[in-house]
Amino acid sequence: MEDVSAKFVSQKISRTRWRPLPAAALQPPDLFATGSWDNEDNRVSIWSAGDLGNAGLNGEYHGEPHLLCDIQHNGDVMDMQFLDQERIVVASSTGTVTIFRHHQNNQTLSANHRWEKAHYHVDQDTSCGGAACTGVVCNNPEIVTVGEDGRINLFRADQRDAVRTIDNADSSTLHAVTFLRTTEILTVNSIGQLKIWDLRQQRNEPSQIFSLAGDRVPLHCVDRHPNQQHIVATGGQDGMLSIWDIRQGTMPVSLLNAHEAEMWEVHFHPSDPDHLFTCSEDGSLWHWDTSTNVSEKPSFLHQGGRSTAYLSHSTINQSVVSAWLSNDPTKDRMEITNLIPNQTLSVNSLDVLGPCLVYGTDAEAIYVNRQLFA
Amino acid sequence: MDEPDTEPPLVVVPGADPSARQLCFAWGPAEVLVCETLFDRAGTGHGAPSSSQVFVVRRDQDIYIQTLRKLFNESHGIFMGLQRSEEELAGKSRKAQLVQVSKNYRSVIRACMEDMHEAAVATRDPALQGQYSTQVSILSAMELIWNLCEILFVEAATAGPLLLRLLDWVRLHVCDVDSMVREVLSSESPSKHKLFWNVVDVFVLQGRMDEARHLLSKEASANPTSMNMYKILDDLMKKMPVPSVGNTQTLTELELKWQHWHEECQRYLQDGTFASNPHMESICKILLGDEDAILEKKELMTTWYHFLVTRLLYSHPTVKPMELRFYAQSSMDLFLGGESSPEPLDLILMAAFEFEIHQVIKECSIVLSNWWFVAHLTDLLDHCKLLQSHNLYFGSNMREFLLLEYASGLFSHHSLWQLGVDYFDHCPEYGRVYLELHIERIPLSTEQKALKVLRICEQRQMHEQVRSICKIMAMKALRNNRLGSALSWSIRAKDAAFATLISDRFLKDYCERGCFSDLDLIDNLGPSMLLSDRLTFLGKYREFHRLYGEKRFPEAARLLLTLMTAHIAPCSFWMTLLTDALPLLEQKEVIFSAEQTYELMRCLEDLTAGNPDKQKFQDDDVETTKVEMLRLALARNLARVIVKEGTVEGS
């Protein structure tokens, strides 16, 4: 596919994130950050998506991503997110949470603030070992982190100490976290549970627990529908995509068979939430499209080399019309496209913004697709 | 067993001093650990205490070069594609496919070379620069060898096209003269340039006739007097018959034409047409394939294999693959002229020209500092079905041996181990064993990494390794007091013994603190509860507490009794269970039936009888009070229940 540019970067990529666009921006995103894992010396890097100077009239970009700056990072980058235009919060396998600042005038990165051992184990010898921080989510200035120690931390970007810490929030490993509303967060853990936490309450208990029936398949990622906050998507160890309606029930509304191995990330498209993207250990990246009204809309995804499948899914009758929950017969089909044929190694991370997709793999390559809806 | 062909290379370990004391070593998968011993050189006395250093000596150094990681990763994709493409196509299209694969490999080498070159230019550190330049030359040699192997073995070009391919090969790789060509062409009037004739010669030597004629025409227009001479030479060069790829003419036709053209050249040379211009005369001699004339241009050719191809072009254009060896050998001898001895690269290329595939691979293995090249090349040649007959006296076959070596190297790398997995997968005989041994040695720093390793093992049904990884992770979690995590891991490994151990920890914690931790996990055990008896008990006991909390006393009582009578509860826990029964016995309404009360009493007696008052002297008072309280409660309950049941039945 000629609209995808790739670059081999000599480090396994664990996270890729677009820099958020300023509110009024019309251009597609141009900068993204990556984090590496499993290296002797891991790095956080800022990349330019392509050669902006050569942008043609049609908004076509040429050239592969190129490195603007990078900085050494202690431990694997487990998760990261932009706090604002300049600052990135990075979660480390050492349990440290760091805010890096990207100085755009001289293209350098520097550590802005660091919470050492935000996540830690209290082991039997009373010496504190760091525990991997597995997930981070920001809602400037608030930062929430979760970790293998089952702890939830709430930080504020400008404060030295944690605002709130819930020790032993979960008896198993927390894998990911996201904001539900400004005061509520969602976490997923390694025994197949989705929990809602209300940070206003002083009780150290989740306000609601949802769980997968039966096999307790670990959940690895979670994302919330950008407009309809009751719709939540999670991805599990068996590659299954679950859609939850958190207003009712304690079980997922629909379970969609997806990847063959761990689903590492799931993202609703931020401005076009009929589209969803998932990536997996099996080396595939799927585009789920519920916007297609199969009969009328010409399918732009039927391109050579891509495998397209229709999946029919039954859902519970909903009063609110949402493509993800409804069982309206015309929308009862979902178009699913694998964007990476023949990849063998894990796709660890993806991010979508506007018409652009960026993803990183264990094959030490980053890929940028600038015309997702071409 | 064969004798080694060459002396094994000497590796100097910086810091170790073998002259002072003996070294000892231990083999690892891809590394050797070396350290100094107490023994001195003579091996008798004990010298001064040795240095406390241990050295790690690695065989496959190139694995650790940052820029080459691109080569490893990208070629991994090509390798996997090649294994997948297995035998679908037959005949010609299969060959085209294999040639394409070979080209892909080469383009990866080239891309890597460019990166390395850029890095060399960008860096200011001279040592680093030297290192990069060495790498560039190694990569370029690899590409040179690969390309020749592609022509001779993968594509197996036949007489005619063979020469065209060899010409392309020379043009692509002899780039020392390129700068000279550029300089001359970009000058104002090329024909006045002092290197003009050199450039023309280069073009002729490389068979680039059109470019040579173009240059000559410029010179001709500057010298109207010798116009005729130029025209004749131009005509000769134009008419030169070349093998065509399109195969419209047969070889015999070509040979006839060529013979005719050759005679024409001969005629012009003999009648002295070019006598007035030594440059043109020498070109004509070259066209005639005159070895001495060609050898005179040694500096312009720089290598013997260029000489070989030029010589073939002008003396034997329809050379057959099998005839190459004679020309190659004599060309090398002529070119080197006994002045210098052939270098390893020359020997490798010579072996290729001689179609000694195994010799090529052997020499490459000895000379190159990585296994990447031989492993991938051998695999490709194996897919071309060129290596079947060869069996080693060790391991299975050469392809597998080399792939195993390469993949083992990858596994010794902290980050590239993931690539190694797929290579092991495609080694039918020993791949699995290697993978099993290597995968267990991957350090599991985070759960995510453990999950990735686990997935690799699960996909391949490596149950033993799955168990061991889960156990390691469970042990880690236990050490960190993460009982919930530990239990999850042991459930995943279906490790009953470990689940029992953790359940005991849970119960111990409960006894100490009076409440359960990690309720979210224990309440959600589901079918995994059946993994071990103790875990079942833990789950059921927690269920009892829940029922009790929900004031569903009869159900709670029944469950409690079952836990003891069905021997689900460990004996050590019976006292706790009986104590738990106390509040139920003291409830206002009667909960235990007469029969259940008898059962409870029997349990209590079993416990006290089987546990004579030997242990716990300090707790004696507490224990006896407890037992007595229980007996009292049981008796009272029995009285109440007899009355109740009597009245109910009586009425």
Side-chain angles (χ1 to χ4, degrees), chain B residues 8-51:
Chain B
L10 193 70
V11 179
V12 178
V13 183
D17 187 7
S19 60
R21 42 182 89 253
Q22 293 183 7
L23 297 177
C24 69
F25 68 94
W27 289 104
E31 302 161 335
V32 186
L33 290 179
V34 177
C35 67
E36 292 181 1
T37 58
L38 277 174
F39 299 102
D40 59 21
R41 196 76 185 138
T44 48
H46 288 243
S50 61
S51 70

Side-chain angles (χ1 to χ4, degrees), chain B residues 32 73 138 195 269 299 323 371 394 399 409 492 550 579 594:
Chain B
V32 186
N73 276 291
I138 291 175
L195 293 174
L269 186 69
E299 267 72 53
E323 297 163 351
W371 288 109
F394 48 88
R399 168 185 174 272
R492 181 154 183 186
E550 290 165 5
T579 324

Side-chain angles (χ1 to χ4, degrees), chain A residues 242-289:
Chain A
S242 320
I243 307 286
W244 313 68
D245 182 348
I246 56 162
R247 295 170 308 183
Q248 56 181 27
T250 57
M251 306 233 285
V253 176
S254 48
L255 285 169
L256 301 165
N257 242 325
H259 302 280
E260 282 159 19
E262 286 87 351
M263 183 187 291
W264 291 127
E265 280 206 83
V266 56
H267 286 289
F268 283 103
H269 192 284
S271 53
D272 199 355
D274 285 342
H275 298 269
L276 181 102
F277 298 85
T278 60
C279 63
S280 158
E281 175 75 19
D282 68 3
S284 58
L285 191 156
W286 287 19
H287 177 179
W288 307 68
D289 182 2

Side-chain angles (χ1 to χ4, degrees), chain A residues 8 10-12 37-40 76 78 93 121-124 148-150 168 170-173 191 193 195 214 216 220 237 260-262 264 281 342 344-346 348 362-364, chain B residues 66-67 69-70 73-74 76 80 84 414-419 422 445-449 451-452 455 459 478-482 484-485 488 491-492 505 518 520-521 524-525 527-528:
Chain A
F8 282 84
S10 294
Q11 50 190 346
K12 292 196 279 195
W37 77 285
D38 205 22
N39 242 342
E40 267 167 354
D76 296 349
M78 299 296 285
S93 61
H121 290 301
V122 188
D123 60 18
Q124 287 157 337
E148 280 182 10
D149 54 354
N168 244 330
D170 202 306
S171 57
S172 48
T173 298
I191 52 171
Q193 293 172 326
K195 296 182 182 178
R216 314 165 350 110
H220 286 296
Q237 182 151 288
E260 282 159 19
E262 286 87 351
W264 291 127
E281 175 75 19
N342 290 333
T344 52
L345 289 182
S346 169
N348 291 327
D362 273 346
E364 307 190 343
Chain B
Q66 191 75 3
T67 328
R69 283 173 71 163
K70 178 179 169 154
N73 276 291
E74 222 172 335
H76 167 258
M80 290 305 287
R84 267 197 292 260
H414 54 86
S415 186
L416 291 171
W417 56 272
Q418 269 172 307
L419 299 178
D422 286 321
S445 46
T446 63
E447 286 195 6
Q448 188 167 6
K449 189 169 177 183
L451 287 173
K452 281 179 183 267
R455 173 62 61 184
Q459 273 169 350
L478 194 64
R479 217 174 291 137
N480 290 325
N481 267 328
R482 301 278 305 148
S485 272
S488 290
I491 288 172
R492 181 154 183 186
R505 278 281 297 273
D518 302 327
D520 52 349
L521 176 71
N524 280 291
L525 283 174
S528 52

Side-chain angles (χ1 to χ4, degrees), chain B residues 158-169:
Chain B
T158 49
L162 174 64
L163 184 73
L164 292 180
R165 295 276 176 279
L166 288 176
L167 271 174
D168 287 339
W169 175 64

